[in-house]
Amino acid sequence: MCGIVGLFLKDKSLEPQLGAMLSEMLISLSDRGPDSAGIAIYGACSNEAKITIQSAKPERDFRGLDAELAKAIGAPVSIAAKSTHAVVRTTPAKIDEAREAIQALRPDIRIMGAGDVVEIYKEVGLPEAVVDRFGVREMTGTHGIGHTRMATESAVTTMGAHPFSTGADQCLVHNGSLSNHNNVRRELIREGMTFETENDTEVAAAYLSSQMAHGKNLGEALEGTLSDLDGFFTFVVGTKNGFGVVRDPIACKPAVMAETDQYVAFGSEYRALTKLPGIDNAKVWEPEPATVYFWEH
């Protein structure tokens, strides 16, 4: 049993409140997953690319990394640390080179996600502790997803927490369990994908990244999960411009959605939505089995 949430804003006036709204949604589901929690926030576009990194020893690993990284890639670099995480900013053309240099300069650092707009924060602990640790309530943006985990498929670690990101500005949270993830992982490795964990959710994220790399949009990639992934699942997915939801054909995992002129919201339970503005007048429904829902800015 895990808890997942998502919020896609249509009304730009709500963007300063995204972090606060998404945080409260996730905290309301804390009892669904006491092991670890995480949130992905999609912020405003800028002329810089971002890489979110994590270290168990941030004082050691983050110290001086900006200067070393700038020298290694030959481009300006800035780093803003938040507890065990930090956001590295650099020139978009250098993002792949920067990722490789980070791993070479600091082998113990783990990359949470990268892209033009996404930042991902996740750690062992309850949602409220994770939200407070990283100042998520103060973050602004256009959309975001979150997860609180009860581990079933792999160990309780930072890397085992959701969201999982396997492509630029792409990430996924999952409630359920996949039965064919080992076979799918092997196929994706043959395509050149790499994996950090044994978690089945990372395989689902990588599957979507692979499908989109082959030219499919988010909706089409989500359609593919219904035939190519076996098991029980509800996925909530974020991309640079989009937000999507799909449930397996049996749909045994709980899910509820709400839509107004201001937002689209998802929660594992309705209580995650009760504090959203205008919820009393929202269209509220349970997403259908084997049906893809997605929105794009």
Side-chain angles (χ1 to χ4, degrees), residues 59-70 79 105-106:
E59 291 185 2
R60 179 199 67 187
D61 286 337
F62 298 162
R63 186 185 305 118
L65 180 59
D66 50 354
E68 294 178 53
L69 190 55
I79 296 179
L105 292 166
R106 300 288 193 277

Side-chain angles (χ1 to χ4, degrees), residues 152-293:
T152 57
E153 289 295 326
S154 59
V156 180
T157 64
T158 301
M159 293 306 294
H162 304 205
F164 279 93
S165 179
T166 54
D169 286 314
Q170 297 173 18
C171 64
L172 175 147
V173 293
H174 170 207
N175 183 19
S177 179
L178 301 180
S179 57
N180 69 331
H181 61 97
N182 287 323
N183 290 337
V184 177
R185 182 185 287 107
R186 284 191 288 270
E187 293 173 8
L188 292 171
I189 288 172
R190 283 194 288 269
E191 288 186 17
M193 302 288 290
T194 59
F195 292 87
E196 296 279 351
T197 73
E198 295 300 315
N199 194 292
D200 60 336
T201 304
E202 187 179 13
V203 173
Y207 170 85
L208 292 177
S209 295
S210 173
Q211 293 293 299
M212 295 175 74
H214 284 91
K216 293 185 178 180
N217 65 25
L218 175 58
E220 292 167 338
L222 288 170
E223 287 281 357
T225 66
L226 297 170
S227 57
D228 294 342
L229 301 182
D230 292 333
F232 304 120
F233 58 84
T234 296
F235 297 138
V236 179
V237 181
T239 66
K240 182 177 180 178
N241 301 310
F243 168 81
V245 174
V246 68
R247 303 170 81 194
D248 67 80
I250 298 176
C252 67
K253 298 299 180 182
V256 61
M257 300 192 72
E259 184 171 13
T260 72
D261 291 340
Q262 293 184 295
Y263 59 80
V264 179
F266 174 95
S268 291
E269 298 180 38
Y270 180 73
R271 57 179 158 146
L273 313 180
T274 57
K275 293 184 179 179
L276 292 174
I279 191 64
D280 290 342
N281 298 312
K283 173 190 174 184
V284 178
W285 76 101
E286 179 181 349
E288 294 291 332
T291 302
V292 171
Y293 301 84

Side-chain angles (χ1 to χ4, degrees), residues 3-78:
I4 52 179
V5 296
L7 185 59
F8 178 88
L9 299 180
K10 304 177 184 179
D11 184 348
K12 292 184 70 67
S13 70
L14 290 178
E15 291 180 9
Q17 303 173 50
L18 176 69
M21 295 164 68
L22 194 62
S23 294
E24 294 309 313
M25 292 172 68
L26 188 60
I27 289 168
S28 74
L29 299 179
S30 295
D31 59 350
R32 292 189 63 86
D35 299 328
S36 56
I39 280 183
I41 296 286
Y42 288 82
C45 286
S46 69
N47 59 358
E48 295 179 307
K50 298 191 285 189
I51 305 171
T52 310
I53 59 177
Q54 185 271 351
S55 172
K57 297 181 178 179
E59 291 185 2
R60 179 199 67 187
D61 286 337
F62 298 162
R63 186 185 305 118
L65 180 59
D66 50 354
E68 294 178 53
L69 190 55
K71 182 179 179 181
I73 68 173
V77 172
S78 66

